[in-house]
Amino acid sequence: MRKKFFLLALLPLLPAMHLMAQSGNELVVKAKTGNTSYLLDNVRRIDLTGGNVGVVTTNAGVTTYAFEDVYSICFGLNTSGITTVTRSGEQKGKLLLHVTNNGSTVSVSGWQAGKSSDVKFYNTSGSLVKELKQWSGSDIDITSLPKGVYIIKVGDKAAKFNK
């Protein structure tokens, strides 16, 4: 009963799928058989009929799941502005991060000294949570950020860190 209510609650959101599809997002069906992703650009509709969930796409027709086998239907959102993620200390020429022991500042190495750039911090949902304009290489105060995992983007380079 709870699944039917969830899927019925999803119906009013279906018209918004067209708007979301324009930005390259995806629909993920999590089922007993595994997770299946569909580009929203290719999803025409989701049918809820006869005890089944059907995902109708423009290129593969209909993929049908038994209603009781579907755990969830999620919309995956692409983050904006993040083109690469590099682990700290990975390779020469890459952006390297050092987070101080107390978690209050981030030191960035691998950036050209004297060159200024915008710095952006994203959370794991892809939301911009902090931004610095014209940063020139000094340590960055992150006391305003709660503990968690973040992506820092400096110019065209990005890296992940834990606070």
Side-chain angles (χ1 to χ4, degrees):
M1 183 65 153
R2 216 169 75 181
K3 284 186 182 182
K4 286 183 182 179
F5 176 75
F6 169 74
L7 291 175
L8 290 175
L10 178 70
L11 289 176
L13 298 175
L14 294 179
M17 285 176 49
H18 174 71
L19 295 174
M20 291 170 52
Q22 294 175 357
S23 61
N25 296 316
E26 65 181 358
L27 170 78
V28 179
V29 176
K30 295 181 180 182
K32 194 180 281 187
T33 57
N35 298 346
T36 306
S37 297
Y38 303 90
L39 287 176
L40 282 180
D41 292 337
N42 298 331
V43 175
R44 297 182 73 189
R45 69 180 183 273
I46 300 172
D47 291 334
L48 307 171
T49 57
N52 293 319
V53 176
V55 179
V56 181
T57 61
T58 57
N59 55 357
V62 180
T63 305
T64 304
Y65 304 89
F67 189 76
E68 60 272 3
D69 292 343
V70 176
Y71 299 129
S72 66
I73 299 174
C74 305
F75 294 95
L77 303 176
N78 290 335
T79 58
S80 60
I82 299 174
T83 56
T84 61
V85 177
T86 304
R87 285 190 356 222
S88 177
E90 193 168 88
Q91 294 176 346
K92 184 178 180 182
K94 298 286 184 178
L95 183 65
L96 303 177
L97 290 180
H98 173 71
V99 180
T100 57
N101 290 338
N102 62 9
S104 63
T105 62
V106 173
S107 301
V108 179
S109 59
W111 189 248
Q112 298 172 349
K115 182 179 177 187
S116 65
S117 177
D118 293 346
V119 176
K120 296 179 180 181
F121 290 83
Y122 297 91
N123 63 19
T124 55
S125 298
S127 299
L128 180 66
V129 293
K130 183 176 179 81
E131 182 174 17
L132 301 171
K133 298 284 187 181
Q134 300 299 312
W135 172 79
S136 60
S138 60
D139 287 357
I140 302 168
D141 179 13
I142 58 170
T143 54
S144 64
L145 299 177
K147 288 187 178 191
V149 178
Y150 295 92
I151 304 292
I152 180 174
K153 183 174 182 222
V154 181
D156 62 349
K157 297 181 179 185
K160 177 183 87 167
F161 74 96
N162 296 322
K163 177 180 178 195

